Structures are given as C-alpha cells and as structure tokens.
Amino acid sequence: MAWGQAGGKKYFFDKKMGIMLSGWQEIDGHSYYFAMAADVPKQTWFWKILGDTGFGKRVYEYLGYRIFGSMYVNEQTPDGQKVNEAGMKEQGVMGEGRKIRRFAATVILMAVTAASVGNRQSYRRHR
C-alpha cells in the first residue's frame, strides 16, 4: 500500500494490484474515506492537446468536480461521517443519516431474531 499525491489531492494505492483504492480504508490504525465512483457524478478530466505536436496530457479537476479516489479532508463523507484536516475519521462523531441507518439495522436484527426464536418454539410444539 502506498500514498500518492497529485494536484493537491491525496490518494492511496494497492501496490500489489496497482489500483487506486476508494471508499473507507483502514490505514495504520486510522479510517480514511476516498471518493468512490458514486461520489463522482461527472467526468473529472479531459485530454488537452499540446500545440501542433499531436501529443497531449490529461488535465484533472479543471471542471471543479471531485476526483475518483481522492481523499476527503476536513468535511463530511457521503455516509455522514466526519473526517479531520488529516483525512482521518473523527472518532465518536456520526452524521444523522448514519444514526438512522444504524437504528433501522438494529430494529431489523431484533425482529429477525424474535421471529427466529418464535419459529423454533413453534417447531418444538409441533414435533
């Protein structure tokens, strides 16, 4: 795993596969969020021809959109978590959307568990 930087943005690469990572990543005991494809609604680069040479280069973030794989810094991630100026997830800070999803998941888990216990008791009575 290796850090990379381009155009003032930080990225994280899997050395073995040679790919840029996205989403939540655990790095040296800290959680970081890197932009996923869903976070990048439009093209973030274009090909710029250099003079009459026929050669060109990719120009990134010219349109002002977030770049795929770029680390979120000092802001809120799409899932409601907050990251600090170093890009690390702030411990104990959770956005409202995340709280609601966690509550809903807990309620569903409790309902499934209750149904499962009820089915086992019903099965025992009918045996």
Side-chain angles (χ1 to χ4, degrees):
M1 305 291 188
W3 286 99
Q5 190 164 350
K9 304 285 184 194
K10 287 184 105 175
Y11 304 87
F12 199 69
F13 296 89
D14 181 333
K15 283 184 179 179
K16 188 183 244 182
M17 300 292 289
I19 58 172
M20 185 184 321
L21 300 180
S22 63
W24 282 107
Q25 301 295 325
E26 187 77 21
I27 304 166
D28 297 329
H30 299 285
S31 295
Y32 299 86
Y33 187 82
F34 299 89
M36 297 174 48
D39 305 330
V40 184
K42 299 181 181 181
Q43 182 173 335
T44 59
W45 63 271
F46 67 95
W47 189 257
K48 181 178 180 180
I49 302 294
L50 303 174
D52 296 330
T53 64
F55 295 106
K57 68 177 185 173
R58 286 184 180 172
V59 177
Y60 292 89
E61 208 174 10
Y62 182 80
L63 303 173
Y65 303 126
R66 182 174 298 281
I67 299 171
F68 174 78
S70 62
M71 183 175 74
Y72 276 61
V73 177
N74 206 24
E75 58 191 310
Q76 188 169 331
T77 63
D79 65 352
Q81 302 291 322
K82 293 190 181 192
V83 293
N84 63 21
E85 63 281 346
M88 292 181 241
K89 177 179 165 184
E90 293 182 355
Q91 298 302 319
V93 177
M94 188 182 308
E96 288 303 314
R98 181 84 170 174
K99 287 179 186 174
I100 292 168
R101 285 192 295 275
R102 182 173 286 171
F103 174 75
T106 302
V107 169
I108 290 168
L109 179 61
M110 290 169 59
V112 168
T113 303
S116 175
V117 169
N119 286 342
R120 275 187 261 147
Q121 290 173 351
S122 175
Y123 174 75
R124 287 185 192 136
R125 277 184 260 154
H126 296 293
R127 261 178 74 178

